[in-house]
Amino acid sequence: MRIAVFGAGYVGLVTGACMADLGHDVVVRDIVSEKIETLERGDVPIYEPGLDELLERNRERLRFTLDVAEAVHDAQFLYICVGTPPTPSGDADLSAVWTVIDELPRDFDGEPPVLVMKSTVPVGTGASVRAALDVRGLERIGYVSNPEFTAEGTAIHDFMHPDRTVIGSFRFDDGDAVERLHQGIDGPIMRMDVASAEMVKMASNAFLVTRISFINEIANVCEVTGADVIQVAEAVGLDHRLGPHFLRAGIGYGGSCFPKDSLALKQLAANSGYHFQLLSAVIEVNELQKRRVINKLQKHLRSLRGKRVALLGLAFKPNTDDMREAPSIVLAARLAAEGAEVTGWDPVADGRAVLNGVHIADSALEALDGADAAVIVTEWPELLELDWDAAGSRMRNRLLVDGRNMLDPEALRAHGFEYEGIGRGGS
Ligand code: UDX
């Protein structure tokens, strides 16, 4: 099949590379010329494990362009993988989606393509796009909602082995065509109407963040009652009705999807006259969770004015260079507001553009030089390997806030550290 992919970001590149790997011919179109030049040179503008190899292996089935006409020419499927960031009101900004729709040609020679919406969009977007296409005389173009559920860092595996593929269509034939395109991908296919498919994506992410905020609140209660959230979460997760996933307590969720999608669903509900109380609380808990790190530091250091704090890990999670909505951004800003000097280190992400006033070190040890405290913000495996005794000897004061509960408290205490985890009252 011939596929045009709009958007060369995380979703578009993974979709394009995986579709090419399944044997389809793919053209990826973006509006940023540097991205297209980078891709044409054989480089990858983002960090996603395995993506470089997949693009290289499928070079002959992949093209990159700035030109809409070239992308659309002969394409049987038009995948929309553009960003839908939040507007100041918290609603999803669909301007990039509408630009793609507006740029589509008025006439298609031969069989018209099927438009496949992979970007996360509010419920009702498909209906609006359908109406807009019809008004422009493009009734014959199909429309399918096919939300992505891939997580950064494991996106290629998630794409090829999804828990489910959701296909929402207005016309059954369009859904059939997209279903055929997924031959070679494991997992059940769920067919439904467009609005329901749109809601599956929003509900899934809302449920996942609810689990995270729930376990974070349990962790906070563990701290004041002397229980250990790691043991609690493990035992809770063994209940087959609950399951073990997304029960890692920490300093809150970030990333390109969870914060924006939860806010978008909250606003979608509000705009429709419904106050989504539970989701509002989930979002608020996440904001407070990041800020609790400051209280933990103050508990030991009292005033943070003039104190040096090292943030270890800056990306919103390991195995990605993505800084979008990373908790490190809020932490760095709060620390600066308290008068602390902040140093940051990340093995992959370059936080310079978003972390004002933070000195970026080349290694974790360098970041710890003369520090009064270290905060693990992202659970990079490198931090498990770190010689914590050597690390401590470079610090002015051995205080560690393990924001991801990744280290053994007793081992750290044996190295003379004051250790603060999240919800580890019992340890
Ligand atoms: C997420 C969804 O998993 C994916 O299905 C959707 O398509 C996009 O959003 P992603 O943002 O890449 O993917 O990362 P994910 O691994 O889900 O983690 C998101 C955030 O939640 C990270 O900041 C992570 O640290 C945090 N998290 C996750 C927790 O704090 N605790 C957990 O138990 C799990």
Side-chain angles (χ1 to χ4, degrees):
M1 294 289 178
R2 294 180 302 279
I3 301 173
V5 175
F6 289 85
Y10 289 86
V11 175
L13 286 178
V14 169
T15 302
C18 289
M19 283 299 180
D21 208 48
L22 289 169
H24 304 299
D25 284 318
V26 178
V27 187
V28 179
R29 188 261 176 168
D30 202 284
I31 51 168
V32 180
S33 53
E34 297 91 71
K35 269 194 199 174
I36 296 301
E37 284 158 19
T38 306
L39 288 160
E40 279 179 330
R41 269 201 316 274
D43 295 327
V44 190
I46 54 165
Y47 177 79
E48 177 63 39
L51 183 59
D52 46 358
E53 287 157 47
L54 203 64
L55 290 171
E56 182 58 38
R57 188 162 79 221
N58 294 289
R59 239 171 192 281
E60 59 197 43
R61 280 192 292 276
L62 273 162
R63 280 181 295 133
F64 305 99
T65 185
L66 289 164
D67 186 20
V68 181
E70 186 188 339
V72 169
H73 176 71
D74 257 5
Q76 293 158 295
F77 297 90
L78 310 175
Y79 267 80
I80 301 197
C81 302
V82 295
T84 50
T87 60
S89 60
D91 297 280
D93 178 354
L94 297 180
S95 53
V97 169
W98 284 110
T99 303
V100 175
I101 310 287
D102 290 343
E103 286 176 342
L104 293 179
R106 291 296 163 117
D107 297 309
F108 286 88
D109 306 330
E111 197 58 27
V114 178
L115 201 86
V116 186
M117 185 62 76
K118 266 239 167 291
S119 302
T120 302
V121 293
V123 182
T125 304
S128 306
V129 173
R130 179 72 273 165
L133 291 171
D134 293 351
V135 164
R136 286 171 215 187
L138 294 171
E139 298 92 340
R140 289 171 62 233
I141 290 192
Y143 184 92
V144 166
S145 165
N146 172 220
E148 59 89 24
F149 299 101
T150 57
E152 287 175 25
T154 53
I156 291 165
H157 178 271
D158 296 348
F159 193 99
M160 291 300 197
H161 309 279
D163 291 341
R164 75 304 206 190
T165 298
V166 172
I167 296 177
S169 62
F170 295 108
R171 292 189 293 242
F172 210 75
D173 289 356
D174 298 332
D176 281 349
V178 174
E179 186 168 344
R180 279 194 298 277
L181 203 56
H182 284 74
Q183 270 164 20
I185 295 183
D186 308 336
I189 294 203
M190 302 285 299
R191 297 284 299 270
M192 59 190 73
D193 62 88
V194 170
S196 301
E198 291 167 340
M199 185 54 102
V200 173
K201 168 74 185 196
M202 300 192 102
S204 301
N205 279 353
F207 204 171
L208 290 167
V209 293
T210 301
R211 283 180 72 103
I212 298 173
S213 280
F214 174 80
I215 201 66
N216 282 339
E217 287 219 285
I218 292 290
N220 299 343
V221 179
C222 283
E223 283 178 8
V224 290
T225 53
D228 186 328
V229 74
I230 295 192
Q231 296 181 52
V232 173
E234 192 181 342
V236 166
L238 284 175
D239 186 322
H240 74 278
R241 295 166 303 176
L242 299 172
H245 304 289
F246 281 72
L247 289 179
R248 275 182 289 116
I251 53 173
Y253 57 81
S256 60
C257 286
F258 281 170
K260 127 181 126 64
D261 294 352
S262 47
L263 201 56
L265 178 53
K266 179 187 153 177
Q267 295 309 352
L268 176 71
N271 297 342
S272 316
Y274 182 74
H275 176 51
F276 199 150
Q277 206 166 339
L278 178 61
L279 193 54
S280 303
V282 163
I283 294 166
E284 193 181 341
V285 167
N286 195 56
E287 283 313 309
L288 294 174
Q289 198 67 10
K290 297 178 227 176
R291 288 160 170 79
R292 282 175 66 87
V293 171
I294 306 298
N295 303 108
K296 286 177 189 286
L297 291 169
Q298 284 167 334
K299 186 173 115 188
H300 294 270
L301 301 174
R302 292 171 172 273
S303 167
L304 299 182
R305 185 153 299 281
K307 300 281 168 35
R308 297 183 68 173
V309 180
L311 300 181
L312 303 179
L314 301 171
F316 82 95
K317 68 172 193 177
N319 291 321
T320 180
D321 61 348
D322 201 338
M323 286 295 296
R324 282 177 287 180
E325 300 285 340
S328 61
I329 301 172
V330 170
L331 269 178
R334 279 294 299 117
L335 286 167
E338 293 295 328
E341 280 174 43
V342 187
T343 311
W345 164 81
D346 192 283
V348 175
D350 179 3
R352 265 169 267 256
V354 282
L355 297 173
N356 290 336
V358 176
H359 170 75
I360 304 292
D362 289 332
S363 69
L365 287 180
E366 189 195 315
L368 292 168
D369 267 337
D372 292 289
V375 181
I376 296 184
V377 182
T378 315
E379 64 276 39
W380 281 101
E382 285 84 341
L383 295 172
L384 286 175
E385 313 289 313
L386 199 70
D387 178 345
W388 281 96
D389 198 31
S393 63
R394 297 176 80 139
M395 296 172 72
R396 195 150 63 189
N397 176 46
R398 294 189 184 211
L399 169 62
L400 176 74
V401 178
D402 181 356
R404 299 296 177 179
N405 286 344
M406 72 179 300
L407 300 179
D408 174 8
E410 290 319 316
L412 266 288
R413 286 184 186 127
H415 289 309
F417 274 87
E418 286 181 291
Y419 176 94
E420 282 276 346
I422 306 294
R424 310 195 73 177
S427 52

